[in-house]
Amino acid sequence: MFKFLKDFRWDKLKFDVTRLLGRLYYFNGALFWWIIDIIVFVAMGVKLETFLVSIPLAIITVIMTINWIRTLVYATLSQNTYSKLTDLLDRSNALQGVPGCGKTSTINQMGYVLAKKQWETLRYEYWQIRHLDFRLLSKKQQDKYNEIIRAYNFYKKYEETHIPCLHSFVTIEVKGRKSHSLLKGHMLQTIPLPYRSVWVGDEISSMFPNSVRGEDKKRNSKLAEQCRWIRHFTDSYALFADIRFGDAFLAIRSGCGCILTLEKKQKWILKPGFLIAVKKFFMSFVDYYYWLIGMTKDGSASQNKAKNSLRKSSKRMARFISWLNKLISCVGYREYYYSKSGSKEQGEEQIETTHGRYWFKSCLDVTYNDRAFKNLYSCKDEDFLEPDNVSIDMSKEELEKMLGRDE
């Protein structure tokens, strides 16, 4: 049985088994405990001992059942989030907020959802116009015809390897397909973007750092123009996020119809406490494993066999904990708190601010590297500095060295 499970090609399935188990965690838990309760009553009968045993079981069953009902509620809210955010967002959108509030996950997930919607619309438009006689069309209709044909042919050419209509600064991946690149030239209108594209720009100010050069004003004007006229230019959507208010982000924000501020850190709803406790229990054996390895010295055949056995069991445990980590991450939902306002630059009066919440599944449809800028760390491959023998009462020389004044 275990050999069959080990040898089975899980990667060939069209759905992720671990994600499915995570989605059904509370349902499976409630079902399991209901069955246990029924077995206890049938096996033991109506006796005092039965009630003493069934009370703690009933408490667990009630908790799992309540959480299952809550899962159904949040599943409905999560499904409604996409239509809610689609209505809430404008063509150009700027997201801002503190670290950990969910800016990246929001723009990546919504970018993918909007790209699917744009691709569906583009395919419909292509189906409508491909039967038309180009020679009989007006100049305006011919421009539209060419725009649709060029965009459809471009995305269709790379559909197997790339997500149609989705262009991102940081690569987004869904089921093996990646987003198209969003480059600096796209933003400055030197490289064209296709019709009905969706632009996702996380930490966009890193692409346009502040400088003292006079061309910044012209650059910022181009950025604001690109966002302001996005529907006229390519009938696209844009989602930009940043934590700092550089000149470029302020210019982008000035052209956006929707400014979404995520007000606090995202919250994990229906966190699986039992699974987390199981993970901590197995993690507690890691130190014990290192102690055993240290105590088992190389020597006789029996000692080497014992050490190899320890390594094999440790490898199996590491795989199990890795799978458990993925399962835990797929249970529950993410809750976001936002306030929405328009850009002050759009008029003299402040546009009214609205507040609300939205929810995503804890494991998103999209995959992205949350440390995408790691390779920009300029001393990443340098050797570590050997530790200094610095006293608690630091001397003047030691302080100057720490502050870099001795250079």
Side-chain angles (χ1 to χ4, degrees):
M1 177 65 177
F2 291 106
K3 188 177 186 304
F4 167 75
L5 293 174
K6 182 180 178 182
D7 296 338
F8 187 79
R9 295 297 303 274
W10 297 101
D11 57 319
K12 296 297 182 183
L13 293 176
K14 292 185 178 180
F15 60 90
D16 191 323
V17 176
T18 305
R19 282 180 177 242
L20 182 62
L21 289 174
R23 298 269 67 79
L24 298 175
Y25 170 70
Y26 286 110
F27 170 75
N28 292 335
L31 184 63
F32 172 79
W33 288 108
W34 274 107
I35 292 171
I36 294 296
D37 284 345
I38 293 169
I39 291 172
V40 169
F41 269 101
V42 171
M44 298 182 66
V46 183
K47 295 185 290 186
L48 178 62
E49 292 87 350
T50 306
F51 287 104
L52 292 175
V53 172
S54 62
I55 286 174
L57 292 177
I59 292 172
I60 296 172
T61 305
V62 168
I63 291 172
M64 293 299 288
T65 304
I66 291 173
N67 283 336
W68 173 39
I69 295 170
R70 290 179 67 201
T71 300
L72 295 176
V73 172
Y74 281 108
T76 305
L77 291 171
S78 176
Q79 283 300 114
N80 293 336
T81 288
Y82 299 123
S83 57
K84 177 181 179 179
L85 282 180
T86 302
D87 294 336
L88 185 72
L89 297 175
D90 206 287
R91 287 293 181 150
S92 293
N93 307 273
L95 276 76
Q96 56 196 32
V98 298
C101 64
K103 299 185 298 295
T104 301
S105 58
T106 296
I107 64 172
N108 287 348
Q109 181 69 20
M110 279 310 299
Y112 174 61
V113 171
L114 290 172
K116 287 200 298 182
K117 176 185 172 184
Q118 289 282 78
W119 178 232
E120 183 181 339
T121 304
L122 180 59
R123 285 190 301 171
Y124 174 71
E125 289 178 329
Y126 175 79
W127 173 79
Q128 274 190 317
I129 62 100
R130 69 192 180 108
H131 301 294
L132 300 177
D133 189 338
F134 184 79
R135 295 168 299 176
L136 300 178
L137 301 178
S138 65
K139 179 65 169 65
K140 181 180 177 181
Q141 290 173 328
Q142 287 179 352
D143 288 343
K144 183 77 171 180
Y145 182 98
N146 288 329
E147 195 174 36
I148 293 171
I149 293 293
R150 285 183 66 199
Y152 178 84
N153 288 339
F154 173 77
Y155 289 128
K156 191 65 180 176
K157 181 180 178 181
Y158 301 103
E159 187 180 12
E160 291 187 4
T161 57
H162 289 75
I163 303 166
C165 299
L166 184 59
H167 296 255
S168 179
F169 180 30
V170 175
T171 302
I172 299 170
E173 186 172 331
V174 179
K175 297 179 180 178
R177 295 194 302 170
K178 297 179 181 179
S179 58
H180 295 268
S181 296
L182 181 68
L183 304 176
K184 193 172 186 177
H186 291 136
M187 296 299 300
L188 296 177
Q189 303 177 41
T190 59
I191 304 173
L193 279 161
Y195 173 68
R196 291 209 173 275
S197 52
V198 176
W199 319 339
V200 177
D202 188 29
E203 303 294 344
I204 196 66
S205 290
S206 58
M207 185 184 282
F208 301 101
N210 290 341
S211 71
V212 296
R213 294 178 298 177
E215 64 190 49
D216 274 8
K217 188 174 181 180
K218 183 180 179 181
R219 177 202 70 184
N220 293 340
S221 176
K222 279 285 184 184
L223 292 173
E225 181 184 74
Q226 182 80 314
C227 295
R228 185 176 293 112
W229 302 111
I230 185 171
R231 186 177 63 83
H232 296 264
F233 288 165
T234 54
D235 209 356
S236 299
Y237 284 92
L239 298 160
F240 300 112
D242 214 319
I243 192 173
R244 62 190 183 94
F245 294 93
D247 291 343
F249 186 63
L250 290 173
I252 288 170
R253 199 178 68 161
S254 70
C256 290
C258 170
I259 298 173
L260 212 61
T261 304
L262 300 184
E263 297 176 332
K264 57 179 77 172
K265 288 196 173 184
Q266 56 188 301
K267 187 178 178 182
W268 191 359
I269 304 295
L270 292 168
K271 184 186 294 187
F274 174 73
L275 290 181
I276 293 172
V278 170
K279 174 191 166 184
K280 288 181 179 179
F281 172 76
F282 282 103
M283 289 292 290
S284 66
F285 286 97
V286 174
D287 289 336
Y288 181 62
Y289 158 75
Y290 282 119
W291 178 79
L292 282 176
I293 286 290
M295 293 294 292
T296 310
K297 298 179 180 179
D298 293 325
S300 65
S302 60
Q303 287 176 324
N304 291 336
K305 185 177 180 180
K307 184 170 266 190
N308 289 332
S309 177
L310 277 171
R311 288 198 174 101
K312 286 180 180 179
S313 61
S314 174
K315 187 177 181 179
R316 286 193 293 268
M317 185 183 290
R319 287 177 178 173
F320 171 73
I321 292 176
S322 177
W323 174 81
L324 192 60
N325 275 328
K326 184 178 179 182
L327 178 63
I328 289 170
S329 70
C330 292
V331 178
Y333 293 84
R334 306 178 185 213
E335 185 175 52
Y336 303 80
Y337 298 83
Y338 72 87
S339 63
K340 177 197 173 183
S341 61
S343 173
K344 291 182 180 180
E345 287 82 357
Q346 291 182 349
E348 295 180 359
E349 297 182 4
Q350 171 68 48
I351 297 176
E352 183 180 355
T353 300
T354 57
H355 300 267
R357 292 180 293 170
Y358 59 90
W359 298 265
F360 287 144
K361 291 178 289 188
S362 56
C363 49
L364 303 172
D365 297 324
V366 299
T367 304
Y368 57 91
N369 185 357
D370 58 359
R371 296 182 62 203
F373 298 96
K374 177 182 70 175
N375 290 324
L376 288 178
Y377 187 37
S378 55
C379 56
K380 180 174 70 73
D381 298 321
E382 300 295 328
D383 293 331
F384 299 123
L385 189 65
E386 296 294 330
D388 292 332
N389 188 21
V390 181
S391 63
I392 294 177
D393 300 319
M394 299 178 72
S395 65
K396 180 180 178 182
E397 291 76 14
E398 290 169 340
L399 284 169
E400 286 181 343
K401 183 179 180 181
M402 182 190 70
L403 297 172
R405 295 178 181 176
D406 61 333
E407 297 177 358

